[in-house]
Amino acid sequence: MLRTVVATLGFLGLVQASVAPQTISLQSRVAPQGMSLKRRALNPVTVPLADFFLGTDLQWFGNMTVGTPPQTISVVFDTGSSSLEFASTLCATCSHQVQFNPNKSSTFRDGGRTSSITFATGVGVDPVVGPNYRLTLRSATDTVSVGGLSAPNTALFLITDQTPTFNIDPFSGIQGLSHLEIIIARNSDYWFGIRKGMSARAQGFFAGLVNQGLPSLFSMYLTPNAVGNAELTLGGTDTTKFTGTPIFASLASTGGTWELTSPRLSVNGKTNSILTQSRTIIFDSGTSNVLFSTDTAEAIYALISPDIKPNPNEPGTYGIACNRISSLPAVIDIAFTSQNGTPFNLTIPSSELSVGPFANDPSTCQTLINAFDGLELVGGSLLKHWYSIWDIQNRRLGFAPAKL
């Protein structure tokens, strides 16, 4: 899911106090015989993911635990988001999800700060319209664990209210895995303030693991529902899940999003003047399908079939008679350039063209690209055909054909 708005309330500022200089005596630390002062690295862990499937693959999600004693909640591991938020017992509108109870955790600390988030892409394949994907949150910290790796004093948000669009979710929340998760962690004083009983060293979950020695990369194997066995590997890669050698491309942005520059799109081996314009494309594991600007979406559809038309009942969507979908060639190639200057394509096969019938017209199937001016983004429709490596330290994305 791609986050667009973070509206904050009740910010607690920091006041610097003047203090007299002091002299502190220091002495070197001597390691006991046979011991090393070198920070021990954490080993990578692999977390199984379930596929939320409603006729098409929507989201992949897995379990984490929060609190002491640990309470299990499920989250989408979302490269389009930057923080951890999940349903809580403070939320009267979250009854459809498992809710975290902060009163049952001895390590829970309330941050006392409220905020709201509006998402630009939602859980399913329908376009987001206005603030219909919106969460109301309260800041906090607690111990968070995934796959046996634990990060104490993790910055998080409790969901205290949510719009009805989240009611279909079988998972409780979202764990952001964007670059901004690290940026926020390094500026936790700004994000959370300092309150009685709360440490100013609160940080994001993944940043907390990296600070303990976990390599700063993760990998995703987001498989189609029919294949199953999807997984997330924190701190490494699973070489049994792809073929060949991964190709890496440098990120196009210095901000928090995972973006690559693409010089060309082609459909069934053909292109046109609109599709050969350079563009920056966001990779978002929390989005189901593909978003392009209106002119790009229509240029792609023109090379597939002139009968793919906009659906006026759901602005931004397109569709065609369901009985025609299987006969349409619709191979979409998105070109990129590797770090060594070699061109390569990431391909979305024809099988992804349909994302299911429209609710208001079951004879017409929605096609995979939504029009969204100002945003170019690929999600699960592409990622479930490629093993992806998200390398934070080296600011790059890697891809290899997934074993399906």
Side-chain angles (χ1 to χ4, degrees):
M1 287 178 239
L2 191 70
R3 182 167 299 166
T4 56
V5 177
V6 178
T8 59
L9 302 172
F11 175 76
L12 179 65
L14 302 179
V15 179
Q16 290 184 331
S18 297
V19 295
Q22 301 181 36
T23 300
I24 301 173
S25 298
L26 302 177
Q27 68 180 48
S28 62
R29 176 183 174 193
V30 179
Q33 186 174 2
M35 298 292 290
S36 172
L37 293 178
K38 183 179 180 181
R39 182 176 65 179
R40 186 175 66 177
L42 296 182
N43 293 323
V45 298
T46 295
V47 182
L49 302 178
D51 184 359
F52 179 28
F53 187 80
L54 286 177
T56 190
D57 304 292
L58 298 179
Q59 301 278 343
W60 290 262
F61 60 97
N63 287 338
M64 61 167 41
T65 65
V66 181
T68 308
Q71 300 176 47
T72 300
I73 61 170
S74 56
V75 295
V76 171
F77 293 94
D78 180 16
T79 62
S81 294
S82 57
S83 57
L84 169 61
E85 53 266 348
F86 46 81
S88 74
T89 52
L90 303 178
C91 179
T93 55
C94 298
S95 59
H96 296 81
Q97 286 88 34
V98 173
Q99 296 166 289
F100 172 78
N101 188 341
N103 294 326
K104 293 183 177 181
S105 173
S106 63
T107 47
F108 177 82
R109 298 292 181 269
D110 178 24
R113 183 171 175 270
T114 60
S115 60
S116 62
I117 299 175
T118 300
F119 293 89
T121 60
V123 174
V125 294
D126 55 311
V128 170
V129 179
N132 65 330
Y133 280 93
R134 186 179 181 88
L135 299 174
T136 303
L137 309 170
R138 187 175 182 89
S139 66
T141 63
D142 209 332
T143 297
V144 177
S145 300
V146 175
L149 299 181
S150 183
N153 204 32
T154 292
L156 55 87
F157 292 96
L158 303 183
I159 299 173
T160 59
D161 191 29
Q162 63 184 19
T163 52
T165 46
F166 290 94
N167 289 346
I168 65 170
D169 295 359
F171 43 86
S172 293
I174 301 164
Q175 170 62 68
L177 288 175
S178 73
H179 271 279
L180 198 56
E181 201 261 3
I182 304 297
I183 295 171
I184 288 174
R186 291 172 179 169
N187 294 276
S188 57
D189 288 357
Y190 167 80
W191 197 242
F192 289 92
I194 299 177
R195 298 180 62 87
K196 183 177 180 181
M198 172 178 278
S199 168
R201 298 177 64 188
Q203 57 191 339
F205 170 70
F206 190 68
L209 298 182
V210 171
N211 287 339
Q212 294 179 55
L214 186 74
S216 59
L217 79 159
F218 58 91
S219 304
M220 289 183 164
Y221 180 61
L222 304 180
T223 60
N225 184 65
V227 174
N229 297 315
E231 64 180 39
L232 164 72
T233 299
L234 296 173
T237 60
D238 183 347
T239 58
T240 68
K241 297 299 188 293
F242 61 87
T243 61
T245 302
I247 298 174
F248 287 91
S250 297
L251 297 185
S253 169
T254 58
T257 54
W258 294 93
E259 301 179 7
L260 297 179
T261 299
S262 172
R264 184 184 68 261
L265 306 177
S266 59
V267 184
N268 299 323
K270 300 178 181 179
T271 191
N272 55 41
S273 59
I274 293 175
L275 301 186
T276 52
Q277 296 174 7
S278 179
R279 67 193 71 231
T280 300
I281 297 177
I282 297 171
F283 288 77
D284 184 357
S285 65
T287 294
S288 306
N289 50 354
V290 177
L291 281 70
F292 280 127
S293 61
T294 302
D295 61 347
T296 298
E298 294 186 347
I300 291 173
Y301 286 141
L303 293 174
I304 297 173
S305 171
D307 297 325
I308 296 176
K309 302 293 186 182
N311 180 358
N313 295 304
E314 294 189 31
T317 67
Y318 296 77
I320 192 172
C322 293
N323 60 12
R324 294 193 55 199
I325 286 280
S326 61
S327 65
L328 289 176
V331 177
I332 300 173
D333 284 308
I334 307 176
F336 298 98
T337 304
S338 72
Q339 288 185 310
N340 64 10
T342 303
F344 70 97
N345 289 337
L346 296 179
T347 300
I348 304 175
S350 299
S351 59
E352 296 298 327
L353 180 59
S354 173
V355 294
F358 284 109
N360 69 311
D361 180 9
S363 67
T364 302
C365 281
Q366 182 181 340
T367 44
L368 84 157
I369 300 171
N370 289 348
F372 194 117
D373 291 325
L375 188 63
E376 311 271 314
L377 180 151
V378 294
S381 296
L382 181 145
L383 291 172
K384 65 185 176 184
H385 298 281
W386 300 87
Y387 189 89
S388 53
I389 303 169
W390 312 69
D391 188 342
I392 295 172
Q393 179 175 352
N394 296 303
R395 297 199 53 77
R396 61 182 186 170
L397 267 170
F399 300 94
K403 287 185 178 180
L404 300 176

